Amino acid sequence: MSLLPGLARFGRFLGQIVWSTVSNPLPVGRALEEAHRIGVNSLPILLVVSVFVGTNLSVQGASAFSTIHAERYVGMFVALAGVREMAPIMVASMVAAKAGTEMASQIAVMRIQEQIDALEVMAIDPYWFLITPRLLGILLVLPALTMISIFTLVVSAYGVAITQLGLDGHTFLEQATATTHAMDLVYCAVKAFVFGLVICVLSCYHGFTSGAGASGVGRATNAAVVMAAVSCAILNYLLSELLFG
Amino acid sequence: MSPDRTSVSRTLVPDPVAIRIEELRKSFGDLVVLDGVSLDILQGKTTAILGPSGCGKSVLLKHIVGLLRPDSGHVWIDGIDMAIATPEEKLQVRKRFGMLFQHGALFEDLTAGENIAFPLRYHTRLTAAQRRARAQEVLELVEMPELHDRPTSALSGGQRKRVALARAIVLEPQVVLFDEPNSGLDPMTSTTIDDLILRMKERLGITFVVITHDIVQAVRISDWVGMLWQGRLVAYAPLPVFLHSEHPIVRRFLSRTL
Ligand SMILES: Nc1ncnc2c1ncn2[C@@H]1O[C@H](COP(=O)(O)OP(=O)(O)O)[C@@H](O)[C@H]1O
Ligand SMILES: [Mg+2]
């Protein structure tokens, strides 16, 4: 697809989501269901990854700072790299891989089986029915998942720091809290919110515009997760510049 | 609907037009699918559109409900041109329409009964229990009363068609569009579906538009028959007239199956 018509099509898609969401009743129940499903599906893998990213941040932080005898800065390193950067993008990638692909493939299947056409003919707005609950669900749950990931990551980094690396726990926490504030958590939530928006919109867009057949669904799903992951990575940089810069 | 359908009254009093299609044209890239199709679909009648597969039958149907926008031409329904209708106007028309898609288009994660009750949930004030009862009622109409709690993914092809048919009529629409109700079905199930259509027309006075490549079905159920060929409607007439059409394409279609 050439760039300009593609962008115009995407723009119309966005406009339609906004219009459909504000001009219909809020699907509160279905949004909560989505939030619950996304949360439950992503949480186990998220916890495991957060634990082991936390451990390695401590180990690598210690090995970097030990060359200048500044191990006491490991806490600061974990707070800056882990809390501000790693946790939000990690959660976004995980949710893009699990929930995003699921959204894209479910909607793509509905598209090729004419279920979306059927919704329209039944006079039910398919954007409102299919996208609004998923969007609200992911916006609700992604900041929460990010907070859980941050907490897990810091606890595991702390655990490794005091047990395996023999660092002073008090110093670790002091350094960590000196560099991060409550506002950092708010900014992380903002990031999560933006990532959730991007993942949901891109996944649903690729689902809605899926080509025919199983290969069409496969391509749509693949494009959705790649675009979502790349967009989140780039946005993570821009948002960090904007929020923490 | 009046039970009196003598040919005399039919010729003297013109039937009201439910859907008027005028010079409809649609291309996908270089592929010309509809090349100036015009026809009047009469109210309370069953109209069959015949044509080989890939000739644009589904595309024509999707223009009627406004799922596709033509390159030019009009689809008039109750003074609304579906070709340029606003979303609100389309909604207004669609609330009186039911459509059976070629492959059913049922929601896979719902049961058969939930699929049928689905439109009720969004367009009526019925309680959950009332919706359930109504879905069961319609299931009985399509002679599948035992399917209510069956997961959709466990339905056979013929069962799917009937559940989709039940969903299409649950709101008691005035017009029902069928996209190949018989495709992929065995002859016996096909006959049952034909009988269902005949019975519903009699009982509910519905206007049916049936897309099919099955001449046998067209003969069994329709009042009017059209033949779509290379983007044009090459014949359109009451069934008895159609069967004696001299048009070579119609003759070829008829000779193949009869
Ligand atoms: N959305 C679309 N985009 C491109 N081509 C399409 C689209 N829908 C249908 N076509 C093409 O239009 C032609 C007619 O399709 P269709 O109406 O589905 O045939 P049938 O008469 O078997 O129902 C086919 O060649 C099909 O490939
Ligand atoms: Mg077709």
Side-chain angles (χ1 to χ4, degrees), chain A:
Chain A
M1 195 176 5
S2 47
L3 189 61
L4 271 181
L7 278 180
R9 194 179 180 195
F10 185 65
R12 275 199 305 277
F13 180 79
L14 285 182
Q16 187 66 58
I17 294 177
V18 173
W19 172 248
S20 295
T21 302
V22 299
S23 62
N24 285 295
L26 268 192
V28 177
R30 296 189 53 232
L32 291 176
E33 270 171 37
E34 287 293 334
H36 179 249
R37 214 157 45 91
I38 298 168
V40 167
N41 283 345
S42 306
L43 194 58
I45 175 171
L46 195 71
L47 289 177
V48 173
V49 173
S50 300
V51 165
F52 289 102
V53 167
T55 56
N56 288 27
L57 278 178
S58 263
V59 171
Q60 293 303 336
S63 83
F65 288 117
S66 68
T67 57
I68 52 169
H69 301 291
E71 286 95 338
R72 56 198 213 85
Y73 291 127
V74 169
M76 181 186 82
F77 176 69
V78 168
L80 289 179
V83 174
R84 286 182 171 181
E85 305 298 343
M86 297 296 291
I89 193 68
M90 221 164 59
V91 174
S93 308
M94 229 70 78
V95 170
K98 278 205 79 89
T101 51
E102 191 178 278
M103 285 182 196
S105 60
Q106 277 177 343
I107 293 179
V109 166
M110 295 188 74
R111 163 63 75 202
I112 66 167
Q113 293 185 347
E114 298 183 312
Q115 294 176 35
I116 296 181
D117 288 341
L119 278 172
E120 276 200 55
V121 174
M122 287 190 276
I124 294 163
D125 184 336
Y127 291 83
W128 168 78
F129 185 75
L130 294 175
I131 302 182
T132 303
R134 287 176 165 84
L135 185 61
L136 298 179
I138 205 171
L139 291 183
L140 271 175
V141 82
L142 212 58
L145 286 177
T146 304
M147 294 305 131
I148 294 172
S149 167
I150 287 174
F151 179 77
T152 314
L153 184 150
V154 171
V155 167
S156 89
Y158 175 80
V160 166
I162 59 171
T163 55
Q164 186 187 333
L165 303 172
L167 302 179
D168 178 42
H170 183 70
T171 316
F172 180 99
L173 290 180
E174 211 175 52
Q175 283 294 325
T177 47
T179 39
T180 49
H181 312 281
M183 261 335 260
D184 286 294
L185 294 183
V186 174
Y187 291 153
C188 285
V190 171
K191 277 188 174 183
F193 201 78
V194 174
F195 294 159
L197 194 70
V198 168
I199 293 167
C200 179
V201 167
L202 286 174
S203 302
C204 292
Y205 179 73
H206 283 99
F208 256 71
T209 54
S210 168
S215 62
V217 175
R219 271 197 306 275
T221 309
N222 194 19
V225 69
V226 169
M227 292 263 297
V230 170
S231 308
C232 287
I234 295 171
L235 278 170
N236 192 35
Y237 171 70
L238 296 177
L239 284 170
S240 284
E241 286 293 306
L242 192 73
L243 299 170
F244 305 117

Side-chain angles (χ1 to χ4, degrees), chain B residues 1 3 32 50 53 71 77 79 88 104 113 124 136 141 156 161 164 177 192 209 233 237 242 258:
Chain B
M1 275 290 126
V32 179
L50 285 167
S53 69
D71 301 331
I77 300 169
E88 290 72 33
T124 68
Q136 185 59 35
L141 201 64
S156 74
K161 288 259 155 135
L177 311 174
T192 328
V209 182
L233 200 68
F242 182 88
L258 283 186

Side-chain angles (χ1 to χ4, degrees), chain A residues 114, chain B residues 52-59 61-62 102-103 179-180 183 211 213:
Chain A
E114 298 183 312
Chain B
S53 69
C55 76
K57 301 184 299 293
S58 299
V59 168
L61 216 55
K62 285 179 183 170
Q102 194 163 345
H103 304 288
D179 198 345
E180 310 221 7
S183 69
I211 298 288
H213 57 230

